[in-house]
Amino acid sequence: MAAETQTMSIALENQEASVSRIHDGELQSNNTGDLINHQSHVQQLKPADGGIAAWKVLFAAFIFEAILWGFPISFGVFQNYYSKHPEFKDNPHITVVGTMASGIPYLGAPFMAIVVRRYPRYRQYMIWTGWSICIIGLLASSFVNSIGALIVTQGILYGTGFLIFYYPIISIINEWWIQRRGMAFGVITSAAGVSGIAMPFIIESLLEKYGHRGTLRAVAVGIAILTGPMIPFVKSRLPPSHTSVATRQDWSFARKPLFFVYSTANIAQGLGFFFPSLFLPSYATSIGLDSRHGALLLASMSFAQVLGQLIFGLLSDKLELNTLLLLSTMIAAVATFTSWGIAHDLAPLIVFALLFGFFAYGFCSLRARMGTAISEEPTAALATFSFFVFCQGFGNILAGPISAALLTNGVNRDRYGLWRYKGMVLFTGACMLLSAASVGLWHWRPRRVMVN
């Protein structure tokens, strides 16, 4: 969940300044009594950037990210299963289930960031509430008999629960990790990719043995057992009086051309971003591969995702941002048009999964830099980054209805994209190209030369 993690990191930029002052013992006051009270708080604070308590919180966040976010991003396995199940077979809206579960946390990012910053003393209640909604959504989905009901339970309920659950945890991470925050968020964001390597195989095995009802119940019980006992470890480091900072929003960034350039790039990339993870298992089945090969493709993409997000994040501190954006989107487009479009066996699909996972997911780790490139003012960075995350969520939500329009009836292994997936392959590649074009036109625009 890289994008959401960075959203809350920026959302609490002003809090960081406050935390740093407390951490360094540099609080100032015009009143001697207030200064003594502040110093008392400093003495009671546990150390940041290390220590048993900080590592406990980080480890808990890693497990939460791996399990609770690893489930919806492995929906491609469910997608393949549902498309062959007699109850749901040939329903064009199956994809909406997955896009709701993973899209709502994107779309709700700006709203939840504001709520968490406004009501920090209620974060533990938010965590327990969101966690409970996720489990209830999965249990309820095991009893339904229609895609519409699955959209509500496995999709909307789970996605809403994760939204409420996740962002308070990220805000607490920001209190414990200050100087080493980049390392901390690198650990957290890699968790989903690590989980994605194993989760598709686990879900595939459960579906084969117990069907979707038994699998959904098993996942709900697994989440409860593996994550419930860890929630008490996620404790705030700061007193409630120091965890909320009122700031005035700076909207001047909205008039900058670069804001519209990056917004276009994010919307275009987001529209095509989710189709491979949703449809690679189904594509593999269409060329005669078994369902385990579909899980292998998702695991390969997750492995590449971990590497891509870590490497692109590190490179963004050293290389020019637009160059990285162009590299990410152009190679993702080429891989889509070639490796995916012409694939008639497993080898080119694995090549595509690795290339798309590395470069397309690497794009996600650059959004924080996009925000700071537009404006370094803290509240502007929050607003721009939240909007970019919203753009990706917008694409996630639209993936369902768009896919229903793009898929055609029948499979022809002699045709590009097996004929059935031709429109989807072309649309995905075109979205990546459009994202690259928006950045490239700005990057290589004619510049006025000032003559003295």
Side-chain angles (χ1 to χ4, degrees):
M1 188 77 176
E4 290 87 338
T5 302
Q6 294 174 5
T7 300
M8 283 304 304
S9 178
I10 296 176
L12 298 169
E13 183 80 21
N14 290 326
Q15 173 183 310
E16 178 182 348
S18 176
V19 174
S20 297
R21 287 193 298 270
I22 297 173
H23 180 67
D24 296 334
E26 295 177 357
L27 287 168
Q28 297 180 356
S29 175
N30 293 327
N31 183 282
T32 304
D34 291 342
L35 180 58
I36 294 174
N37 290 335
H38 284 313
Q39 291 174 338
S40 177
H41 282 309
V42 173
Q43 293 172 356
Q44 296 172 7
L45 290 179
K46 294 183 179 181
D49 299 307
I52 295 178
W55 283 107
K56 281 184 179 179
V57 173
L58 185 60
F59 178 72
F62 179 91
I63 298 299
F64 295 147
E65 173 92 6
I67 297 176
L68 278 99
W69 187 240
F71 174 73
I73 65 175
S74 300
F75 180 76
V77 180
F78 274 100
Q79 162 87 8
N80 190 40
Y81 178 87
Y82 288 151
S83 65
K84 297 183 293 184
H85 195 277
E87 283 185 284
F88 314 121
K89 186 177 181 180
D90 299 326
N91 190 306
H93 304 298
I94 293 174
T95 310
V96 179
V97 180
T99 54
M100 285 293 176
S102 56
I104 288 176
Y106 286 106
L107 294 178
F111 168 76
M112 201 61 200
I114 294 172
V115 172
V116 170
R117 186 169 60 178
R118 178 66 179 83
Y119 302 104
R121 64 178 65 246
Y122 298 110
R123 287 179 297 188
Q124 279 291 329
Y125 296 104
M126 296 178 196
I127 293 170
W128 281 109
T129 299
W131 179 81
S132 300
I133 293 174
C134 286
I135 294 174
I136 291 171
L138 292 179
L139 291 175
S141 64
S142 70
F143 292 97
V144 304
N145 300 306
S146 68
I147 290 298
L150 282 174
I151 291 173
V152 173
T153 54
Q154 189 179 351
I156 296 175
L157 266 182
Y158 189 92
T160 302
F162 186 82
L163 171 69
I164 298 171
F165 167 85
Y166 187 71
Y167 291 99
I169 293 174
I170 296 303
S171 73
I172 292 174
I173 289 290
N174 277 333
E175 296 180 6
W176 286 100
W177 298 91
I178 302 170
Q179 301 299 326
R180 302 175 67 189
R181 183 171 297 173
M183 180 279 300
F185 284 123
V187 170
I188 296 172
T189 55
S190 67
V194 172
S195 171
I197 297 173
M199 185 76 75
F201 294 103
I202 295 172
I203 294 176
E204 178 63 37
S205 178
L206 289 173
L207 287 172
E208 287 184 359
K209 292 182 180 179
Y210 306 108
H212 68 285
R213 300 185 191 281
T215 298
L216 289 166
R217 292 165 191 168
V219 171
V221 172
I223 288 176
I225 293 175
L226 295 174
T227 63
M230 306 197 73
I231 293 179
F233 292 146
V234 185
K235 297 179 180 179
S236 175
R237 175 174 173 264
L238 303 178
S241 60
H242 293 300
T243 57
S244 180
V245 181
T247 57
R248 181 179 180 181
Q249 179 64 60
D250 175 18
W251 294 102
S252 62
F253 68 87
R255 297 190 296 270
K256 296 182 178 181
L258 190 57
F259 171 72
F260 294 98
V261 170
Y262 287 158
S263 296
T264 302
N266 275 275
I267 292 173
Q269 203 265 2
L271 284 173
F273 178 76
F274 296 96
F275 290 119
S277 62
L278 290 172
F279 284 95
L280 273 181
S282 300
Y283 193 100
T285 300
S286 297
I287 60 176
L289 300 174
D290 61 39
S291 56
R292 292 189 179 276
H293 287 106
L296 173 64
L297 291 171
L298 294 182
S300 299
M301 186 175 292
S302 295
F303 173 75
Q305 170 193 344
V306 174
L307 297 178
Q309 290 181 328
L310 288 175
I311 292 175
F312 269 86
L314 291 172
L315 290 177
S316 67
D317 292 330
K318 302 177 181 180
L319 301 181
E320 204 273 332
L321 175 61
N322 290 336
T323 301
L324 294 174
L325 291 171
L326 288 167
L327 182 68
S328 166
T329 48
M330 287 296 294
I331 295 183
V334 172
T336 301
F337 287 133
T338 56
S339 297
W340 191 12
I342 66 173
H344 297 102
D345 51 49
L346 180 61
L349 286 179
I350 290 180
V351 171
F352 168 71
L354 292 172
L355 288 175
F356 194 88
F358 186 90
F359 288 97
Y361 281 86
F363 181 98
C364 301
S365 65
L366 301 176
R367 289 196 175 99
R369 281 288 312 276
M370 294 184 214
T372 56
I374 294 170
S375 175
E376 294 185 357
E377 203 282 322
T379 61
L382 163 63
T384 53
F385 193 89
S386 297
F387 184 78
F388 295 154
V389 172
F390 176 87
C391 290
Q392 186 174 27
F394 185 71
N396 193 328
I397 294 297
L398 289 180
I402 290 176
S403 66
L406 293 174
L407 290 174
T408 57
N409 293 325
V411 173
N412 187 336
R413 295 185 62 177
D414 296 326
R415 301 290 297 271
Y416 183 84
L418 305 182
W419 181 248
R420 174 170 174 78
Y421 301 94
K422 176 182 177 181
M424 182 174 297
V425 172
L426 294 176
F427 182 83
T428 300
C431 288
M432 297 297 141
L433 282 181
L434 178 58
S435 180
S438 62
V439 175
L441 289 173
W442 171 263
H443 185 60
W444 289 303
R445 72 192 186 283
R447 291 172 172 81
R448 294 181 180 180
V449 178
M450 301 300 294
V451 179
N452 292 330

